Amino acid sequence: MTAPVFVVEQVPGGPEFVLEGPEGRHAVSVKRLRAGEDVVLTDGRGHWTEGTVLAAEGKDRLVVAELTGIREEPLPAPRITVVQALPKGDRGEVAVETMTETGVDTIVPWQAARCITQWKGDRGLKSLAKWRNTAREAGKQSRRVRFPDVADAMTTKQVAALLVTADFAAVLHEDRGHDSEPLATVPLPDRGEIVLVVGPEGGVSPDELALFADAGARTCRLGASVLRTSTAGTAATALLLGRTGRWS
């Protein structure tokens, strides 16, 4: 198994570093790391270093030695952004967690017309914070050193403006009465930005589809079965990562 990942504000250049606070507590009291075990320290923005535990002190201090120097993971190409309509309950965090584990680069919460969930005021801020914390924890769990960005929630017009700038944009829409292309075979760019829109439980409205089409988005389908909004983004991300060679 690869070494566990812990987040630091700034990746240390070495040769020794003390991991403290919540991350140190997690390493010592939850993971129960001991001398001789390997760890990875990252800022979640692509910078990282690897070292060996020298000692675990108290309940929240992990002394890491033999740091290998600061490394940087190259930016992914192409980058994959999923615009995720707000699901009900905790399904939003489920979607963020599994998309992060799969390898998505950016997640955009979207207040679609048919969303039952509404992000307003303090509730919206708390929900966004949950999504961002979920992405961070899932990034650590899946041993990533570049965590996905979770953007501020967007309106439909803002999503359309994002689609205009993409090198490839598509809306997942499973409707036998609406023409769509299979995402498995649609031509994709080798670099740049891929933006995929995942609608709510009630589907993308005709007005939204028209606006997104005007912005240059294609209408695509994943397959014969219709997935929940909380799982469609993960399945599509996996498909795109495979097709673009990022999963090899």
Side-chain angles (χ1 to χ4, degrees):
M1 178 181 288
T2 56
V5 172
F6 298 94
V7 181
V8 294
E9 285 297 321
Q10 185 172 353
V11 178
E16 192 171 296
F17 179 76
V18 178
L19 184 67
E20 299 178 284
E23 290 292 276
R25 188 175 303 109
H26 185 73
V28 175
S29 300
V30 179
K31 301 291 287 187
R32 298 187 179 277
L33 297 180
R34 296 293 180 261
E37 296 187 74
D38 293 332
V39 296
V40 170
L41 305 176
T42 181
D43 59 5
R45 299 184 296 275
H47 304 96
W48 64 283
T49 187
E50 191 169 19
T52 303
V53 176
L54 183 63
E57 301 175 347
K59 296 182 179 180
D60 61 357
R61 282 173 55 90
L62 193 77
V63 183
V64 183
E66 301 177 13
L67 294 172
T68 56
I70 300 174
R71 310 180 196 181
E72 184 173 5
E73 182 178 276
L75 287 169
R79 284 178 52 82
I80 298 173
T81 293
V82 173
V83 176
Q84 174 67 58
L86 306 179
K88 295 181 292 186
D90 63 355
R91 290 177 184 170
E93 287 97 274
V94 171
V96 172
E97 180 180 45
T98 54
M99 284 192 285
T100 298
E101 292 171 349
T102 304
V104 75
D105 301 302
T106 302
I107 300 169
V108 178
W110 170 38
Q111 188 72 67
R114 293 176 176 172
C115 283
I116 296 174
T117 299
Q118 300 287 319
W119 280 13
K120 295 180 179 179
D122 289 342
R123 178 182 178 181
L125 294 176
K126 289 179 181 178
S127 296
L128 179 60
K130 284 183 179 180
W131 280 34
R132 287 174 171 164
N133 186 63
T134 298
R136 170 189 164 107
E137 294 306 311
K140 289 165 53 180
Q141 179 66 33
S142 53
R143 310 298 200 256
R144 291 181 64 168
V145 296
R146 190 182 293 280
F147 302 162
D149 296 320
V150 178
D152 291 341
M154 289 189 181
T155 64
T156 297
K157 288 184 178 180
Q158 289 171 324
V159 171
L162 176 65
L163 298 177
V164 169
T165 67
D167 297 280
F168 172 84
V171 181
L172 284 185
H173 189 62
E174 307 285 347
D175 186 345
R176 290 182 176 85
H178 190 95
D179 289 338
S180 62
E181 307 171 81
L183 191 62
T185 57
V186 69
L188 297 173
D190 295 328
R191 63 195 69 221
E193 301 282 337
I194 294 176
V195 180
L196 187 69
V197 178
V198 177
E201 284 89 346
V204 183
S205 73
D207 288 345
E208 289 167 337
L209 281 173
L211 186 62
F212 294 160
D214 289 343
R218 306 166 86 136
T219 303
C220 293
R221 61 184 183 276
L222 271 173
S225 60
V226 178
L227 301 180
R228 286 183 179 271
T229 183
S230 55
T231 55
T234 300
T237 297
L239 176 60
L240 293 174
L241 287 167
R243 290 200 54 210
T244 57
R246 287 181 51 186
W247 271 11
S248 59

